[in-house]
């Protein structure tokens, strides 16, 4: 009787854990438009998008919002670069002079900003070369899906990791 009770308890815990994992994965992949819209900063899904790799079209409403809002960030970063000769070290530097707020993605994730800095070596010192930088903006959603923008290619692409 004790073995059967132990077996049932372990089975129950494993099932509950598996259901919990599936709910977490599903919940992280589902867009949260109502929360994002109520906070403002969301683009409408019917805006025009011209900078997406053609093999990823057509886009769903969630992906359109993600890219339209990402394009607001791209514009602010490019404006910052034109005025300063360098890309910002973080998105927060852009607020409020270049963008009112960092837009929401529409998913329960934030935009990630990263710089690729070209460096020159002089007398064993590593010095960033001003103006020779690239940046990327990415959003991971779900378990394996990611949209990313590369300043080198100037398009949004999707990747499944």
């Amino acid at each position: 009787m004790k073995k059967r009770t132990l077996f049932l308890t372990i089975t129950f815990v494993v099932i509950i854990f598996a259901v919990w994992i599936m709910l977490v994965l599903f919940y992280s992949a589902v867009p949260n438009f109502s929360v994002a819209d109520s906070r403002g900063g969301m683009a409408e899904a019917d805006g025009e998008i011209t900078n997406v790799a053609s093999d990823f079209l057509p886009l769903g409403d969630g992906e359109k919002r993600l890219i339209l809002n990402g394009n607001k960030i791209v514009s602010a970063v490019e404006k910052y670069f034109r005025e300063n000769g360098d890309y910002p070290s973080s998105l927060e530097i852009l607020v409020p002079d270049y963008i009112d707020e960092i837009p929401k993605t529409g998913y329960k994730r934030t935009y990630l900003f990263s710089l690729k800095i070209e460096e020159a070596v002089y007398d064993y010192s590593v010095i960033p070369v001003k103006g020779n930088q690239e940046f990327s903006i990415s959003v991971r959603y779900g378990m394996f899906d990611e949209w990313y923008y590369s300043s080198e290619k100037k398009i949004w692409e999707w990747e499944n990791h």
Side-chain angles (χ1 to χ4, degrees):
M1 187 67 174
K2 280 187 170 185
K3 286 183 179 181
R4 187 170 196 284
T5 304
L6 180 62
F7 175 76
L8 290 174
T9 303
I10 290 173
T11 304
F12 178 75
V13 169
V14 168
I15 291 171
I16 294 296
F17 183 72
V19 168
W20 179 77
I21 291 291
M22 288 188 292
L23 287 173
V24 166
L25 293 175
F26 175 77
Y27 183 71
S28 69
V30 173
N32 187 15
F33 299 123
S34 60
V35 172
D37 288 340
S38 69
R39 295 181 186 163
M42 288 296 296
E44 292 301 318
D46 58 356
E48 186 175 345
I49 298 174
T50 58
N51 60 342
V52 175
S54 62
D55 45 335
F56 300 110
L57 297 174
L59 300 172
D61 285 350
E63 294 165 318
K64 286 180 185 176
R65 284 186 178 99
L66 185 147
I67 291 169
L68 286 168
N69 284 329
N71 284 341
K72 292 179 184 179
I73 298 171
V74 170
S75 295
V77 170
E78 293 292 354
K79 183 177 179 186
Y80 181 96
F81 181 81
R82 285 191 303 276
E83 293 180 8
N84 298 286
D86 260 336
Y87 288 115
S89 57
S90 71
L91 293 179
E92 289 73 24
I93 291 173
L94 301 171
V95 178
D97 296 332
Y98 298 92
I99 194 169
D100 292 335
E101 66 180 352
I102 304 303
K104 310 294 185 247
T105 63
Y107 294 88
K108 293 170 179 42
R109 304 295 171 108
T110 57
Y111 291 98
L112 302 175
F113 178 76
S114 58
L115 288 174
K116 178 182 174 187
I117 302 172
E118 186 177 317
E119 298 171 332
V121 178
Y122 299 103
D123 299 328
Y124 303 104
S125 300
V126 178
I127 303 169
V129 178
K130 188 172 180 127
N132 289 328
Q133 300 174 339
E134 297 170 9
F135 72 90
S136 66
I137 298 171
S138 64
V139 177
R140 272 199 142 167
Y141 61 100
M143 186 165 198
F144 303 107
D145 300 314
E146 177 180 23
W147 277 99
Y148 63 93
Y149 176 89
S150 163
S151 64
E152 180 182 21
K153 294 181 180 180
K154 301 213 178 297
I155 59 171
W156 287 89
E157 295 182 284
W158 178 82
E159 189 171 301
N160 186 297
H161 298 277

